[in-house]
Amino acid sequence: IRMNVAKSAYRVFSANSSAACTELAKKITERLGVELGKSVVFQESNRETRVDVKESVRGQTIFIIQTIPRDVNTAIMELLVMAYALKTSCAKNIIGVIPYFPYSKQCKMRKRGSIVCKLLASMLAKAGLTHIITMDLHQKEIQGFFSFPVDNLRASPFLIQYIQEEIPDYRNAIIVAKSPAAAKRAQSYAERLRLGLAVIHGEAQCSESDMADGRHSPPCVRNTTGHTGLELPCKQQAPFPGIELPIMMAKEKPPITVVGDVGGRIAIIVDDIIDDVGDFVAAAEILKERGAYKIYIMATHGLLSADAPRLIEESAIDEVVVTNTVPHEVQKLQCPKIKTVDVSMILAEAIRRIHNGESMAYLFRNITVDD
């Protein structure tokens, strides 16, 4: 007997408990022409996270949209509990739509720290996620932390379109990297816009102190044993004969330098995250000193923590353009210089293509490896 098996349905849920964070989810579902799944996410009086799914999800593909507000850890817990609730309700596939992936800056080993991003990837897999859609990961290598597929979408086409349509005389602009680490991303923008490139080198170097982490202690070397046969503690050990380790030269910050001519130009600083704006404000002042007459900042994720809106308002920066991957309506009220670009279109299209089993390549057309 032949049976016609219809393609399994899909549902879209939001795992956020705050109303401001569900705005992006509402825009995505409007574009998809579906209703947001019925669920309740809330914090109990003791701050425990509780999730109640109010409809059947058995055998369905579920997309969980989770935008990350200032309370990062609560949002992560909401996502984990929601994913686990769907897993235990027999959902077929659980796909996380996490436009800004939290803890993405903690993706490298620092002294005696840990790679928290890897830990979070393992937790999401354990909770039941089978796929993730995200946008502009801080480092592309983060995709390797996951045991399931990751689609790392790009916001650059939307930001480039904003430059072309909203910045008058953008042909007289120059793309600026505020540090050598951001030079590849800036080069990608410059090549697609057919503009010049400048790099700020100097003060924006990493300022972490190396003095108290044990690197300056002498090496622990072989000791001489006494008549008891017991080894002396490491500090009392004598060095290997004839062995000298090479002297490591201490790092020195070079004087601030702008590589490239910004005089009489519009300076457009590009980056993936704008959070602590101190580096951006300092870069804007330097560019003003070097003759730039307008300064724009383009970034995918506008975290804009602490006093960022006030510092931007008081700075030489003319405009900060970010996407709506992170809610920042409060910051916009505090600082009119902050503008928003909507990226719900590409997230909705990614959901549609994944559900229909279509290729994602179209969403990455004209995207360079370094973008």
Side-chain angles (χ1 to χ4, degrees), residues 283-294:
E285 289 174 3
I286 292 155
L287 294 169
K288 276 284 184 189
E289 289 172 11
R290 301 297 166 91
Y293 69 90
K294 262 196 169 182

Side-chain angles (χ1 to χ4, degrees), residues 64-371:
I64 309 174
I65 300 172
Q66 181 71 331
T67 48
I68 306 297
R70 289 189 180 186
D71 190 355
V72 177
N73 295 329
T74 298
I76 291 169
M77 202 63 204
E78 288 170 349
L79 177 60
L80 292 170
V81 176
M82 171 72 87
Y84 192 64
L86 294 166
K87 178 183 178 182
T88 53
S89 298
C90 299
K92 182 181 178 184
N93 295 303
I94 305 168
I95 301 168
V97 182
I98 314 168
Y100 166 64
F101 195 80
Y103 286 97
S104 58
K105 284 191 173 182
Q106 296 190 48
C107 61
K108 294 180 181 177
M109 182 64 78
R110 300 280 185 187
K111 297 181 183 175
R112 295 183 182 90
S114 61
I115 305 174
V116 184
C117 198
K118 167 63 176 170
L119 170 65
L120 182 54
S122 302
M123 290 166 67
L124 291 171
K126 193 71 177 173
L129 288 183
T130 57
H131 193 148
I132 275 183
I133 303 169
T134 187
M135 183 168 278
D136 282 335
L137 285 169
H138 187 58
Q139 298 287 341
K140 295 177 190 65
E141 292 78 9
I142 290 172
Q143 294 174 80
F145 293 165
F146 294 87
S147 56
F148 49 74
V150 177
D151 284 306
N152 182 28
L153 304 176
R154 308 294 198 276
S156 57
F158 294 90
L159 296 174
I160 286 170
Q161 184 181 23
Y162 183 95
I163 292 170
Q164 292 172 326
E165 294 179 359
E166 302 295 333
I167 299 180
D169 197 22
Y170 83 91
R171 293 285 181 194
N172 189 36
I174 186 166
I175 304 297
V176 180
K178 71 175 176 65
S179 68
K184 284 187 174 182
R185 183 184 301 273
Q187 182 185 358
S188 172
Y189 275 71
E191 288 174 353
R192 281 182 283 173
L193 286 163
R194 314 292 193 268
L195 298 175
L197 177 67
V199 180
I200 298 173
H201 178 53
E203 289 301 319
Q205 298 293 310
C206 182
S207 60
E208 62 183 276
S209 172
D210 293 340
M211 295 305 293
D213 68 347
R215 299 183 203 183
H216 293 269
S217 60
C220 184
V221 289
R222 190 185 302 277
N223 70 307
T224 54
T225 55
H227 65 278
T228 60
L230 298 173
E231 291 190 353
L232 297 174
C234 184
K235 287 183 180 177
Q236 301 176 31
Q237 291 173 355
F240 283 111
I243 289 185
E244 286 188 19
L245 294 173
I247 297 172
M248 302 298 236
M249 295 296 293
K251 290 190 295 185
E252 281 190 23
K253 292 181 183 177
I256 200 75
T257 309
V258 179
V259 182
D261 182 19
V262 298
R265 301 282 193 90
I266 299 169
I268 302 174
I269 303 172
V270 298
D271 214 335
D272 61 328
I273 299 171
I274 177 167
D275 187 4
D276 178 12
V277 297
D279 288 348
F280 291 94
V281 170
E285 289 174 3
I286 292 155
L287 294 169
K288 276 284 184 189
E289 289 172 11
R290 301 297 166 91
Y293 69 90
K294 262 196 169 182
I295 296 162
Y296 290 81
I297 294 173
M298 316 293 291
T300 304
H301 310 296
L303 306 187
L304 302 166
S305 302
D307 289 335
R310 179 181 60 80
L311 295 172
I312 292 168
E313 190 64 28
E314 295 171 357
S315 72
I317 299 166
D318 291 283
E319 201 167 279
V320 174
V321 183
V322 294
T323 72
N324 57 344
T325 55
V326 177
H328 52 265
E329 292 305 315
V330 174
Q331 291 91 323
K332 284 180 75 174
L333 293 173
Q334 296 170 345
C335 178
K337 291 181 179 180
I338 300 170
K339 309 294 181 187
T340 308
V341 174
D342 182 20
V343 293
S344 62
M345 181 192 304
I346 194 169
L347 293 168
E349 180 63 12
I351 290 172
R352 190 193 68 78
R353 284 174 176 268
I354 287 171
H355 172 64
N356 292 334
E358 297 176 23
S359 170
M360 296 286 283
Y362 181 76
L363 303 182
F364 295 95
R365 68 195 187 286
N366 300 327
I367 299 293
T368 61
V369 174
D370 297 324
D371 188 4

